[in-house]
Amino acid sequence: MALMVEEDEYIIPPLTGEPSLFPNPRLASDEGLLAYGGDLSSQRLIEAYKKGIFPWFSKGDPILWWSPNPRLLLLPNKFKVRKSFRRVLRSEKFSVSFDERFSDVIKYCALVPREGQNSTWIVDEMIEAYRHLYEEGYAHSVEVYKEGELVGGLYGVAYGKAFFGESMFSLVPDASKVAFKALSDVLGRRGYDFIDCQMKTDHMVSLGAEVVERDIFLDALEETIEKPTDLGSWQHFKWEYEDGK
């Protein structure tokens, strides 16, 4: 059985066979639904990210694979620090680590309520899959602490010199924004080309993310995945805010 997207007359195929066999994302509708089914094995997930595709589905649904048009990207040197947030960074009330509490971060991302959402897409199956990616050195987390307590963070996947952001959470104001700033600064120093924020949100745009056409994103992706991957733990990565940056 295949699903039909009438607007673009694109047949949504089921995934079968080798994990590397995905439809061409350039042919998907602007909405981006590309395929369904398959599994969340590490090999299939990495192949998806290398092609600009990511899974996104709700509990009880089949696995759905997406590559929307346009795409939202943040160039590491384009992060916008507004005056109010600069004061937060200068206060040094937050501290940051990398890859120390991945399981806690992804659990919080799944559990912390979000405005306008009644349920989470980070279902148990997704949590388990990304834990495997973390253990294999592809998935990474940023943790933000206040007075020694975990209060915010984010997680995503790195390949080549691209970082594919998946989700973030805050238990106190500004905590996830600090995580995103720390990630942007560290990746900028390490020569990363972009952070993929997937779909447009006003919040991400306010932080400097830019909307680009899918074809432009996929062209850039093809180049960056040929660059060396920072595989393994990122616990040795360090970040402190440098005033004025």
Side-chain angles (χ1 to χ4, degrees), residues 31-244:
E31 181 188 33
L33 181 57
L34 185 70
Y36 69 96
D39 56 46
L40 294 175
S41 66
S42 294
Q43 185 179 357
R44 192 182 296 274
L45 283 169
I46 292 301
E47 288 298 327
Y49 283 111
K50 288 165 62 177
K51 293 177 171 63
I53 302 164
F54 58 87
W56 184 34
F57 61 100
S58 299
K59 185 176 182 179
D61 291 340
I63 301 171
L64 303 177
W65 302 90
W66 301 80
S67 186
N69 181 42
R71 201 74 165 222
L72 191 69
L73 304 182
L74 176 73
L75 307 184
N77 64 348
K78 293 291 185 70
F79 191 104
K80 292 181 180 178
V81 179
R82 304 188 185 279
K83 289 183 178 180
S84 58
F85 185 47
R86 195 181 302 279
R87 287 194 293 270
V88 171
L89 295 170
R90 285 172 175 167
S91 72
E92 299 183 349
K93 63 181 179 181
F94 294 112
S95 61
V96 172
S97 66
F98 289 77
D99 278 0
E100 288 189 355
R101 296 179 63 178
F102 183 90
S103 291
D104 291 331
V105 168
I106 194 170
K107 283 182 181 178
Y108 272 118
C109 287
L111 295 174
V112 173
R114 301 172 192 279
E115 186 176 352
Q117 295 185 11
N118 296 322
S119 61
T120 180
W121 55 269
I122 309 175
V123 297
D124 290 345
E125 188 179 1
M126 290 279 273
I127 292 174
E128 187 66 18
Y130 283 84
R131 278 178 179 161
H132 286 308
L133 283 181
Y134 168 72
E135 291 167 358
E136 293 166 11
Y138 290 105
H140 304 282
S141 59
V142 183
E143 301 88 23
V144 177
Y145 304 89
K146 182 179 180 182
E147 298 178 353
E149 297 293 327
L150 181 65
V151 294
L154 62 80
Y155 77 96
V157 174
Y159 196 93
K161 286 297 177 279
F163 187 89
F164 307 92
E166 280 298 320
S167 188
M168 59 176 61
F169 78 95
S170 280
L171 301 181
V172 300
D174 296 314
S176 63
K177 195 184 300 185
V178 171
F180 199 40
K181 170 62 173 168
L183 177 70
S184 178
D185 286 352
V186 168
L187 296 189
R189 293 199 301 265
R190 300 188 69 84
Y192 276 68
D193 294 310
F194 57 78
I195 299 171
D196 174 26
C197 306
Q198 298 179 347
M199 293 178 287
K200 181 182 177 181
T201 66
D202 292 339
H203 176 62
M204 286 299 180
V205 170
S206 73
L207 298 179
E210 301 174 2
V211 174
V212 301
E213 292 298 311
R214 179 170 58 205
D215 283 346
I216 295 174
F217 161 68
L218 294 174
D219 288 344
L221 181 61
E222 288 177 2
E223 292 186 13
T224 199
I225 63 172
E226 297 300 321
K227 299 177 181 179
T229 299
D230 286 319
L231 188 63
S233 175
W234 286 7
Q235 288 186 10
H236 61 288
F237 287 7
K238 304 298 179 185
W239 176 82
E240 290 184 0
Y241 174 60
E242 296 181 34
D243 204 1

Side-chain angles (χ1 to χ4, degrees), residues 15-33:
L15 289 184
T16 58
E18 293 296 320
S20 61
L21 298 179
F22 279 94
N24 185 347
R26 298 178 191 267
L27 302 179
S29 67
D30 287 348
E31 181 188 33
L33 181 57

